[in-house]
Amino acid sequence: MDLESYIKSYNEAVFETDKQGAFAVVNQALEQGLSAEDVVFKLVIPAVEQMMEIIEKDPDANLAQHFMTAQIAADVTERMLEKFRKPPEMIGRVVIGAAYGDLHSLGKRIVSGCLKSLMVDVVDLGTNVSAEKFVDTAVEEDAQVIAISAMMVHTATGEKGSTRVRALLKERGLERRIKLAVGGAPYRFDPALYIKVGADAWAPDGVTAAKVIVDLIREVKP
Ligand code: B12
């Protein structure tokens, strides 16, 4: 099968919420020599984006289907990340998580995958992470960047999210040592929002996110 056929079969399985079918396509693609990176960037992400477009256009799109698409994508991505080329030397460390009150995990996982593929060590705190936890962990783990994913307007702009992380960095004199990056749907709608929430940078997708974060690491790391 060629790449186009894998994309078609994977999309069909995902849209049918057929997790086993989606994994069968992925396994076949890997056996045929497709890399784990190709599986994530050429199958998984485009399928989620297509599903997002459908959901946005169709208010009746069913929540189970919407949820399963994300679950399948997250599971495949997670499994592929283990197969990503092992970086020989890490260039820096990032503490990543979804903002306080936010349970959306897929975008964050994709960003983690992209970071790992660019040789960045990732400490993933999961979802619903408090500002204190972000800052304390970044200090403990000697991370150069805190990366916060927020998919909802109130978790992006709320007082317990990035704004609070910025305040803590300031209070504790850490602003030169630790940079703050944000991302998620609200930032795509308002590209100036990252400044309003006190972040140093943002990015609209996983690939750009990894590049932006690497630049922040280089700003801080001697
Ligand atoms: C899948 C999904 C869910 C799944 C999440 C499953 C999971 N494990 O993640 C489920 C069904 C659980 C869910 C629940 C809810 N959801 Co929801 N969900 C979505 C949906 C369709 C897609 C999100 C997603 O996974 N996108 C795919 C990934 C790949 O994209 P992404 O997250 O944007 O990430 C990319 C970039 O943004 C960037 N990025 C992401 N994070 C970061 C971080 C950094 C540092 C950087 C630099 C970049 C970066 O890189 C990523 C990779 O390319 C969006 C619609 C949308 N258009 O976004 C709604 C959406 C986010 N959900 C929404 C809502 C309202 C909810 C619920 C409140 C629904 C409900 N009534 O229960 C709950 C809230 C739960 C909670 N407390 O968090 C709203 C938010 C509205 C708003 N304006 O605030 C949206 C926008 C849908 C809508 N149009 O109304 N949801």
Side-chain angles (χ1 to χ4, degrees), residues 102-146:
D102 206 313
L103 301 176
H104 294 87
S105 59
L106 182 56
K108 170 183 70 64
R109 287 189 192 183
I110 290 170
V111 173
S112 299
C114 296
L115 283 167
K116 286 178 186 171
S117 71
L118 288 187
M119 303 181 202
V120 176
D121 206 7
V122 179
V123 179
D124 189 342
L125 294 178
T127 57
N128 188 23
V129 182
S130 71
E132 286 73 13
K133 179 85 182 162
F134 273 120
V135 177
D136 290 346
T137 311
V139 171
E140 277 160 28
E141 299 280 347
D142 203 14
Q144 293 82 29
V145 177
I146 293 174

Side-chain angles (χ1 to χ4, degrees), residues 22-32 79-80:
F23 268 104
V25 176
V26 167
N27 289 337
Q28 206 187 337
L30 287 173
E31 276 166 25
Q32 296 299 314
R79 219 172 282 182
M80 290 306 108

Side-chain angles (χ1 to χ4, degrees), residues 45 48-49 52 55-56 63 66-67 70-71 96 101-108 110-111 147-154 181-185 188 202-207 209 213:
I45 298 179
V48 174
E49 280 166 355
M52 275 164 52
I55 289 167
E56 271 162 14
L63 186 64
H66 157 176
F67 180 72
Q71 285 300 107
I96 195 167
D102 206 313
L103 301 176
H104 294 87
S105 59
L106 182 56
K108 170 183 70 64
I110 290 170
V111 173
I148 308 181
S149 185
M151 289 300 295
M152 296 183 289
V153 173
H154 70 277
V182 293
R188 285 206 299 251
W202 83 288
D205 58 71
V207 177
I213 290 171

